[in-house]
Amino acid sequence: MTIDVATGIARILKQEGVDWVSTFPVCRVNNALGREGMTMLMLRDDRYAVAVADAFSRITAGARIGVCTFQGGVNAAGLQYAYAGLAQAYEDGSPVLCITDGVPAGSSGNSQFDVASSMKTVSKWFGYLDKPERVPEFMRRAFTMLRSGRPGPVILAIPNATATYDETADPYRPVKGWKSAPDPADIRAAVALLLEARNPLIYAGEGVIYAGASGELKALAELANVPVITTLKAKGAFPENHPLFVGVRGDQVEHFLHKSDAILAVGSSLSPGRFSHRIPDAAKKNIIHCNVDELHINKIYPTAQAVIGDARMTLQALRQEVSDRTSGAGRPVGTMAAEVKAARDKGFAKYRELMASDEKPINPYRVYGDLMKVLDLHNSFVTHESGNTRDQLSTVFDTLIPRGFLGWGNVSTLGFSLAAAIAAKKASPNRATVAVTGEAGLGYMLGNLEVLLREKLGVTVAHISNGGFAGYGPGFWGPGHDPFTHAVLGPDEVDMSKVIGALGFHSERVREPTEIIPALRRALAANASGRPAYIEFVCCQYPVYGQWVGRSSE
Ligand SMILES: Cc1ncc(C[n+]2csc(CCOP(=O)(O)OP(=O)(O)O)c2C)c(N)n1
Ligand SMILES: [Mg+2]
């Protein structure tokens, strides 16, 4: 059977379990995708097309691969605009499949912008389909990379979507994805270091979520009786009401990081970026680094013991070894849980007060505290924006299930929260879904709000409206950090609830702390019938939150 390239791609995507594709037009594979019955989720810009698919891969932990298409080729306007989304997906290691038009044969070198070299810097693989009959080969290779090893985006450029090939010559079989188990000798050495440590600490990264290893993480932590911190991107990998959970950031995290003499890092690159901790006195600690990718070993800090392999198999093997060495008893329980509780109580004291605050304008922590009261934390999705909402929520928001909260952003590209919320609704349509944003994030998402109405996506956008760009405090405000690039029109000048209400959202503006819970309930009720909601919480400027250890505030 002779078919065209675009139809071949559409059929293979269906074989791979893909039933919708996010897009911004034009891309020459789109019509075939539509003809083959693929649901096309059309966003309002190319960056969002990438970000929604990217977020879908993150939220489903790669179990369902997000796929997007956007314009490329000689007129690569879409691709150039999508670059921000691609760079973020690459930075955060998200297994998203991106399909774009390729520069046709005979047209290379015509434009100023070099597609191939730019795409190579933001992808695990950039494949240029130079012959139509290579469709099955390229798709096989793409899905192998998307489902194996360290996650990252794959970009396929299709220079001629209507060229034909024989579909029966190389029949496509779906790709499973492969994992590797760690070397048993490394497991033994790692557990020896762990058991001889006086103050070990588990540092869990997003690899735990991608490996579906939250249960194994909990089992190891409990048997070895080791406290746990998670990275921003792994928030929720460990239940945050567990007696061994220390936090993502805050004074208690600082305390345990400083105190530790061994760090068991699992599924984290341990890269001290803009939104993660440094390991204090790293040279004096034994760092046991469990990772799927050898490129992270000895990357920043000296690795005392590496364990390379899948996080789930690694955690299973570590737990078994701890059990074998301790005749099933694990490390003595001692007072660890009490110590964690005391440190958390101390670290949280001021935030707990703020979460009950009656002050006006509303303290943002009151919104977060009330949000936790309204949501079923076992069946909801919350995400943050770049700026104070990230820093505050990652300090206090209790996450009880993996991906009940999506932390994101090794670099944090404003506007991603709405894309994440759209993807969360696609992944779990019955889950209450809330994106918490400041005004900068809101500005980036305004154009895409129509998508929620058109697609009947019951998402709530909760706006912490404080009339200024805060960003990276402390001291960002007014005469503080960036005095000339701070103030924007705030709630006294513009009523955003009217603006967004006129679009068709259920919208409210809340000034009274006592109105937060009723307003959230009304928004979630509107969401349940497929209507998106926007609530503007008129808040004070309050740049207070847990710090990243070892990073001076800028
Ligand atoms: C694409 C992009 N450009 C610039 C930044 C830098 N940045 C981080 S937060 C921020 C302003 C945030 O202000 P707002 O949304 O009002 O949040 P607030 O902190 O006030 O709650 C800026 C400009 C970014 N994160 N992403
Ligand atoms: Mg603001």
Side-chain angles (χ1 to χ4, degrees):
M1 264 296 275
T2 298
I3 57 167
D4 63 82
V5 164
T7 304
I9 290 172
R11 290 187 185 164
I12 289 171
L13 288 177
K14 283 204 279 182
Q15 278 183 272
E16 289 290 1
V18 175
D19 52 19
W20 63 274
V21 168
S22 60
T23 189
F24 185 79
V26 293
C27 176
R28 292 204 168 87
V29 299
N30 279 355
N31 287 346
L33 292 175
R35 272 196 306 271
E36 290 295 310
M38 189 71 73
T39 298
M40 302 302 283
L41 176 61
M42 187 169 70
L43 280 303
R44 295 296 294 260
D45 67 66
D46 324 74
R47 178 263 172 135
Y48 257 73
V50 177
V52 168
D54 160 356
F56 188 71
S57 289
R58 296 186 201 216
I59 290 161
T60 63
R64 297 170 71 190
I65 297 293
V67 181
C68 62
T69 66
F70 47 82
Q71 177 187 41
V74 175
N75 180 14
L79 180 147
Q80 291 178 9
Y81 204 80
Y83 190 88
L86 295 167
Q88 195 195 6
Y90 185 63
E91 184 67 52
D92 275 7
S94 172
V96 53
L97 178 59
C98 309
I99 301 174
T100 186
D101 311 296
V103 176
S107 294
S108 67
N110 291 10
S111 53
Q112 312 304 312
F113 177 74
D114 181 22
V115 172
S117 58
S118 71
M119 293 295 101
K120 281 179 185 169
T121 62
V122 290
S123 62
K124 194 167 172 180
W125 182 46
F126 172 68
Y128 178 84
L129 192 85
D130 57 357
K131 276 197 163 186
E133 55 269 38
R134 296 188 78 182
V135 166
E137 173 201 333
F138 271 47
M139 294 299 279
R140 229 173 5 238
R141 189 165 168 189
F143 275 95
T144 299
M145 290 196 206
L146 291 163
R147 296 204 174 114
S148 311
R150 177 164 189 253
V154 168
I155 306 170
L156 294 181
I158 313 297
N160 186 354
T162 54
T164 55
Y165 68 102
D166 177 5
E167 194 185 18
T168 59
D170 179 8
Y172 191 83
R173 266 174 291 149
V175 174
K176 175 183 157 291
W178 289 271
K179 305 175 192 321
S180 54
D183 183 340
D186 291 333
I187 292 290
R188 288 194 292 275
V191 170
L193 286 179
L194 184 71
L195 293 180
E196 81 186 31
R198 294 185 57 194
N199 296 304
L201 178 67
I202 293 177
Y203 189 112
E206 202 181 21
V208 172
I209 293 181
Y210 278 110
S214 287
E216 285 75 9
L217 174 65
K218 184 162 163 276
L220 173 68
E222 286 174 353
L223 185 71
N225 200 36
V226 177
V228 177
I229 66 173
T230 70
T231 62
L232 173 65
K233 291 199 298 152
K235 185 168 163 53
F238 194 77
E240 298 191 350
N241 55 356
H242 193 283
L244 289 171
F245 181 67
V246 176
V248 173
R249 60 200 295 183
D251 295 350
Q252 76 281 15
V253 175
E254 198 155 344
H255 166 77
F256 276 92
L257 265 174
H258 277 288
K259 187 179 158 189
S260 63
D261 58 347
I263 303 263
L264 176 70
V266 189
S268 162
S269 66
L270 280 187
S271 305
R274 193 65 187 74
F275 306 107
S276 57
H277 302 291
R278 284 193 163 270
I279 306 290
D281 301 321
K284 295 190 196 132
K285 300 185 199 295
N286 279 329
I287 296 181
I288 306 159
H289 200 169
C290 311
N291 204 284
V292 72
D293 188 347
E294 79 281 3
L295 291 181
H296 293 312
I297 306 302
N298 280 322
K299 180 177 165 190
I300 307 285
Y301 307 113
T303 303
Q305 177 62 49
V307 181
I308 296 178
D310 172 68
R312 186 152 176 238
M313 289 191 227
T314 299
L315 287 162
Q316 279 167 348
L318 290 171
R319 187 194 174 282
Q320 189 58 51
E321 182 67 16
V322 170
S323 176
D324 290 352
R325 283 188 186 227
T326 58
S327 312
R331 277 173 80 247
V333 173
T335 55
M336 184 51 67
E339 193 189 325
V340 171
K341 184 174 182 325
R344 271 178 71 86
D345 282 348
K346 197 160 158 244
F348 271 88
K350 68 174 172 227
Y351 300 113
R352 289 201 176 116
E353 251 171 59
L354 295 168
M355 284 192 256
S357 160
D358 286 329
E359 69 183 284
K360 286 203 290 184
I362 298 168
N363 188 290
Y365 284 99
R366 173 72 189 258
V367 178
Y368 310 143
D370 285 358
L371 188 57
M372 283 191 259
K373 286 185 191 156
V374 167
L375 292 174
D376 170 0
L377 297 179
H378 287 98
N379 190 26
S380 53
F381 175 88
V382 173
T383 192
H384 59 86
E385 256 306 331
S386 177
N388 275 250
T389 62
R390 170 200 50 237
D391 300 317
Q392 295 165 340
L393 283 166
S394 56
T395 303
V396 298
F397 196 85
D398 281 329
T399 308
L400 305 187
I401 53 168
R403 297 315 197 202
F405 183 97
L406 185 73
W408 50 269
N410 287 339
V411 300
S412 62
T413 316
L414 279 162
F416 188 74
S417 70
L418 186 72
I422 291 172
K425 256 298 161 210
K426 295 293 282 181
S428 303
N430 296 325
R431 247 180 212 185
T433 299
V434 181
V436 184
T437 184
E439 27 280 300
L442 188 69
Y444 278 79
M445 63 181 77
L446 279 177
N448 280 280
L449 292 179
E450 178 267 342
V451 180
L452 283 81
L453 291 159
R454 177 164 33 92
E455 295 286 335
K456 300 190 175 36
L457 295 167
V459 161
T460 288
V461 175
H463 177 192
I464 303 296
S465 178
N466 59 15
F469 289 166
Y472 318 121
F476 210 125
W477 305 101
H481 189 285
D482 281 39
F484 307 108
T485 53
H486 162 63
V488 291
L489 296 188
D492 294 335
E493 292 95 9
V494 190
D495 187 339
M496 284 308 287
S497 68
K498 285 197 180 137
V499 175
I500 296 175
L503 281 174
F505 274 54
H506 168 89
S507 77
E508 301 198 27
R509 156 177 273 204
V510 175
R511 288 185 185 273
E512 293 294 327
T514 50
E515 270 303 305
I516 298 171
I517 288 181
L520 282 170
R521 292 222 164 98
R522 287 189 289 269
L524 296 176
N527 290 170
S529 56
R531 190 174 179 206
Y534 164 83
I535 312 181
E536 180 180 19
F537 294 104
V538 178
C539 286
C540 63
Q541 301 184 344
Y542 200 79
V544 175
Y545 39 80
Q547 295 303 302
W548 297 118
V549 173
R551 211 192 62 205
S552 58
S553 39
E554 292 158 27

